[in-house]
Every structure is written in C-alpha cells, then in structure tokens.
Amino acid sequence: MTSMLPTNLDYTEGLDQLSAEARIMRLIDSLFPEWEDRQRADFGNILVRLAAFNADFLSFYQDNQARESRWTTARLRKNILAFAKLIGYRPRTASAATAEEVFTLAAALPGDLTIPAGTRVLTAEVTRQIAYQLTAALVIPAGQTTATATVENSQTRDEQFVSTGQPDQVFRLRHTPYIDGTLVVVAGDGSYTEEDDLLDATSTSRHFRTTVDDRERVVVRFGDGVLGKIPTGTISFTYRTGGGVAGRVEQNRLTRLEGSFTDSLGTPAQLSVTNPSKSSGGDDRETNAQIKQNGPRANRVRRVLVSREDYEIAAELVPQVARALHLPDVVGPNQGHVYVVTDDLSEPSPTLLAAVTAQWSPGGPFLKLNTYQVTALAAPFFDVDVSSIVYLAPSTTPETARARVMASLQALFALRVPSETSPNELVRNPRINFGYYLQNSGGQFAWSDLFNAIRDTVGIGKVDPGPGGLLLNGVRDNVALGAHQFPRLGNVVLINGANGQPF
C-alpha cells in the first residue's frame, strides 16, 4: 500500500495556515479526485480549514519553543534567567540611589532628637514625588542644630510566614522591585544568613539562598535538614524595594520631611532638610539583552583576575560603570590603573571608584595576585568638537535639522544602543571605546563616521564636500586619542550652506 504521507519530511520548513491548507488539499486531490467542491460553506472544506488552523497554531508554538531553548534567541525573561543560572551568573537587580541629607533645626533643643530609620524625605512635586528614606536612625545631640545622614531611594517591607516544618521550603515575597542584598530573615529558631548556595551547609547551618524571578520578586529557599537547617515557627522577612535610574535626584531636590518629631524631653522640633549634592548610584535591573551580553563575559573570569580584560569585566559588573580599561605597568612594575566611564558620562564618585576597587580587594568577589596593585581612576575624556556646513532638504527648517543632527551625533557617541533583536532594550555600542581599543585604526576616532552620521540624517540634503565641510576640533581629519582617553561629543556648530548662517 502506498503511504499517504511523503517519505522525506522537512521539519524545519515553515508552516502557516494557508500552506497547511494547500498541503491538505493536495493530499485530498490525490486520494479523492471526485471531490471538487471548493465552496467555503462546504462542511468538508470547513474541516480542512479547521485542521489547517490547528496546524498553524501548533507550528507557532513549536517555533517559539525552539527559539526559547537557545541562549542567543530566547526572549522570555524567565528562560534567560534560567540560562544565566546554568552558567552561575546572577543578573544585577535594580540598585537604589543614595544621597547625603542635611537635617537642620530652627533652634537648638534641650534634649537629644532621634529621627527613626524609615523616615522619608521627598522632592517638592505635588505628584510623582521621589522619596528617600533613612536606613538608620539619626540622632541630633542636645545643643546641636545640624546633622548629616545617608538617605536611600527605597522602601522597607515586612512579611511573615509560618514554617511548615518541611524540607526545602520556598517563599516568594510579593513586593517589587527587590533590591538585592537587603533581605533580613528571622525565624522562631533565630536569625538566618544568606549564602550563594547551601553546598557547604550542615544540618545546623541557619542559611538561606535567594533568586530574583522575572517579575523582580525575591524567592527565598531554605535547607532540607541535611544541607541547611529547616526553619521553625514564624519566619519574618524584612527587605527593601525600589531603586532604578528614575530615583536619581539633583542637588537641593529632597526638601520635604515627612512626619513630626520631638526631642527626648518632649520639645517639638522644627526641621528643614536638603541634599547639598546630587545623588549617587541608582541603576535599573539588567535587561534581557544585557544579561545575554554580560553573562558569558562574567563566566569567563571565573572569579580569578589574570589577564588585562579580566579586570575590565570585573569593573563593568559594578552598577553605573559602562566602560572600563585596564592598563598594566603604567606607573611602574606590578602597578596598574583601571579607567572607568560612568553610564551618564559624569565624573565617577569616590564611592563608585571604591566599589570598583573592592571587586578585587581582600574579601571581594574576585581574586588577584597579591603583588599586583590596581587603582581605579576616572577616565579622561577627549571632547570632539564638530563644525559642519550642510545643505538642508526642501521643507526642512533649521531648527528641525539641528535637532535631528544632534540626535544622530548623540546616537553615534552613545554608550549603549538599541539591541537588534530587542529594540526596546539597550546593549553596548561597539563603535565607541577607549583609544586603546582603536589601535587597529591608529588610535583614531574616524572622521568618516561623523560625516556619515550627519549626511544620513533625515532633512540633510548633503554635507559640503569642501575643505571646511566637516571639521573635527578644527581639522578635516580623524581625531587621535591617547590610549586611556575616551571620546565624548563636544560643541556642535552647524552652518547652513545656502546662506552661511549658523543654526
């Protein structure tokens, strides 16, 4: 008997409803040539279309299952997190911005004034206020009028559960986004400490481990009585949520104090607050595209820093660090520098540089040779000033053209650009880097890259081809960078070629 199905099936061939329907019809024609009715109302044709719809539906799910089974093609965050777990990489969660807040009394008080932890200071907006909190109590001693404390863009949360007494208990806490490393756990049998895993735990070790799921909720896992103690009684979880880039503030923005206070003798206090300098820190969680990029890089280091690139990878794992360059033996034998560029191109704070150095300091997550000394420094910028004579396309105003050219140039110099696979997520811009990484082009930032960016801008008819058509720092040539210098867009002058007027 001849088989009804082809003997050679290509399971990788695309299948949609129309192609499935055509296949079924060809099979029907070969088996039942007398059936020639192709009216849509025919019951047989209805069944054919129903079968084709189901084939299309199943093909869609099959294609997506295949896509989600690969690190490079997966799109669902829960699957990307699972891949990261397989290689031992823990994606960065949102971090909270901090600021130094000055509390000032209208007059000295006769008793000590205690402002408790959790007290909030806010920006002055009526809606969409940004709130920071004291993470530790602040005491203004009697007779003093000012004190300074660190406030954080976060909110403290408390939840309680009752232990079931079973091994391998898992608790998913409901408030988001979780700020990593802030969880405090106390059960009926005492306090528990967080560990990366429970492999070294004993039956009496009060340890737990955490993961953060695709919805930014923290998932807490306890031991089974062999590797880690089983908690008893009521389990209290205290942790902080919030953070992200949206929580950053400029100086003198946190000017509202929530609540009223009295000193130890009951005297009411009149307080004013402000932050004399802008906040530091505050970063969003790693996007899916960033996890795909950073996971393999972090896995390469293996917690031991050996090569030049290892130090750069360790530095770039610190929130707010967008680029790093390690140059060994720059000041002498066994002495090196790691130059750091922040994600907003601002001057890195001493706190941020200390966090970078802590990556390989004693007790940090990475190991290095004891005889090799490495210092984290702010990267020196090389500002690229642009002057260009351009001719506008018809119906394009100078204001519109300038805005578009500036957007094109800023995209060229951007540290991160939209991902090709996920346009809503940002990944590392491969076109911008330290002079060291431009050695193949003589350590130069290409004049042609800026020419193309301006020429290809919508609304620009052409760039003047003459000697003054495009100048970088006053010269019609590439920009030469030092090894440790990082290019940054400087002043931009655009001249209308039709009338010679700048715009």
Side-chain angles (χ1 to χ4, degrees):
M1 178 179 178
T2 304
S3 174
M4 295 173 58
L5 298 175
T7 56
N8 186 13
L9 295 177
D10 183 1
Y11 292 102
T12 64
E13 183 180 349
L15 184 69
D16 57 21
Q17 183 170 353
L18 292 178
S19 61
E21 186 176 329
R23 285 189 187 187
I24 296 173
M25 286 301 184
R26 286 197 300 269
L27 182 60
I28 291 174
D29 289 340
S30 65
L31 296 175
F32 305 103
E34 66 278 7
W35 182 20
E36 297 179 351
D37 190 356
R38 293 294 185 265
Q39 297 297 321
R40 297 186 65 86
D42 182 82
F43 186 70
N45 290 326
I46 292 175
L47 292 179
V48 168
R49 290 182 171 85
L50 179 60
F53 170 78
N54 286 330
D56 184 16
F57 193 78
L58 293 174
S59 178
F60 171 80
Y61 275 97
Q62 178 178 306
D63 291 345
N64 279 272
Q65 289 284 359
R67 184 193 69 199
E68 293 298 323
S69 67
R70 300 290 187 273
W71 172 278
T72 55
T73 57
R75 296 179 183 176
L76 295 180
R77 189 171 181 86
K78 65 177 182 179
N79 294 333
I80 295 172
L81 293 177
F83 285 126
K85 183 179 179 181
L86 286 176
I87 63 172
Y89 179 68
R90 181 168 179 138
R92 185 184 68 245
T93 63
S95 61
T98 60
E100 295 301 310
E101 190 80 357
V102 177
F103 294 74
T104 304
L105 287 165
L109 297 175
D112 294 342
L113 174 65
T114 300
I115 304 175
T119 299
R120 300 203 308 167
V121 292
L122 307 95
T123 55
E125 292 88 354
V126 177
T127 59
R128 301 181 65 87
Q129 297 169 328
I130 300 175
Y132 281 58
Q133 68 165 341
L134 280 170
T135 56
L138 171 66
V139 177
I140 304 178
Q144 293 189 13
T145 57
T146 63
T148 302
T150 300
V151 292
E152 182 182 74
N153 175 225
S154 63
Q155 185 173 353
T156 301
R157 309 286 190 173
D158 293 291
E159 292 187 52
Q160 290 186 337
F161 297 88
V162 177
S163 172
T164 62
Q166 298 297 314
D168 299 315
Q169 293 182 70
V170 178
F171 299 93
R172 180 173 277 103
L173 307 185
R174 64 189 180 92
H175 295 289
T176 62
Y178 171 67
I179 298 177
D180 211 358
T182 62
L183 180 61
V184 177
V185 177
V186 179
D189 53 347
S191 299
Y192 280 67
T193 57
E194 182 174 0
E195 299 291 341
D196 291 338
D197 56 58
L198 303 180
L199 298 178
D200 295 328
T202 67
S203 60
T204 59
S205 299
R206 291 198 296 269
H207 295 165
F208 67 90
R209 61 188 181 93
T210 64
T211 55
V212 179
D213 68 13
D214 56 314
R215 299 182 183 180
E216 297 191 80
R217 299 174 298 185
V218 60
V219 182
V220 188
R221 290 175 169 83
F222 291 95
D224 58 3
V226 177
L227 297 177
K229 193 175 187 300
I230 299 175
T232 61
T234 299
I235 310 173
S236 298
F237 300 92
T238 302
Y239 59 103
R240 298 199 294 275
T241 59
V245 172
R248 298 176 184 176
V249 294
E250 296 297 323
Q251 63 183 27
N252 299 322
R253 289 286 312 284
L254 298 171
T255 56
R256 293 185 57 195
L257 177 64
E258 197 173 66
S260 58
F261 308 92
T262 57
D263 68 6
S264 56
L265 301 178
T267 307
Q270 294 183 359
L271 278 164
S272 61
V273 293
T274 191
N275 57 310
S277 57
K278 69 177 184 178
S279 63
S280 61
D283 205 359
D284 294 331
R285 71 175 188 178
E286 279 189 86
T287 64
N288 293 348
Q290 289 171 339
I291 294 172
K292 291 181 181 181
Q293 187 177 69
N294 295 335
R297 296 179 73 230
N299 191 51
R300 165 194 159 165
V301 176
R302 293 293 184 181
R303 303 303 175 189
V304 179
L305 307 182
V306 179
S307 68
R308 176 183 54 78
E309 295 90 341
D310 291 347
Y311 287 88
E312 297 171 5
I313 293 172
E316 291 177 7
L317 290 175
V318 176
Q320 286 193 282
V321 175
R323 291 285 198 285
L325 172 68
H326 173 217
L327 294 181
D329 301 330
V330 291
V331 292
N334 288 327
Q335 298 182 60
H337 289 163
V338 171
Y339 296 96
V340 171
V341 176
T342 63
D343 56 8
D344 59 358
L345 297 179
S346 63
E347 184 77 11
S349 66
T351 302
L352 180 60
L353 294 177
V356 172
T357 304
Q359 290 287 82
W360 50 77
S361 297
F366 298 98
L367 301 175
K368 69 172 182 64
L369 291 175
N370 291 332
T371 57
Y372 184 52
Q373 304 301 316
V374 188
T375 305
L377 300 174
F381 290 106
F382 190 102
D383 289 330
V384 180
D385 296 330
V386 180
S387 176
S388 181
I389 301 173
V390 299
Y391 292 86
L392 306 184
S395 304
T396 301
T397 64
E399 294 77 13
T400 300
R402 180 174 179 83
R404 291 173 177 173
V405 169
M406 289 301 299
S408 297
L409 294 178
Q410 288 165 355
L412 176 66
F413 282 85
L415 296 175
R416 296 189 176 96
V417 293
S419 167
E420 292 182 0
T421 57
S422 303
N424 293 328
E425 298 183 349
L426 300 179
V427 296
R428 187 187 190 97
N429 183 359
R431 298 183 298 177
I432 194 81
N433 217 326
F434 286 93
Y436 178 90
Y437 281 103
L438 302 177
Q439 289 178 347
N440 290 336
S441 58
Q444 297 180 333
F445 191 73
W447 175 91
S448 59
D449 287 347
L450 283 100
F451 182 90
N452 294 338
I454 297 175
R455 180 199 60 194
D456 296 339
T457 300
V458 176
I460 299 299
K462 70 173 183 177
V463 178
D464 192 313
L470 174 61
L471 303 178
L472 304 183
N473 292 354
V475 180
R476 182 185 171 89
D477 201 353
N478 297 337
V479 176
L481 300 173
H484 61 304
Q485 290 180 318
F486 197 89
R488 180 175 61 179
L489 182 62
N491 296 322
V492 177
V493 176
L494 298 177
I495 300 173
N496 190 334
N499 56 26
Q501 297 298 313
F503 63 94

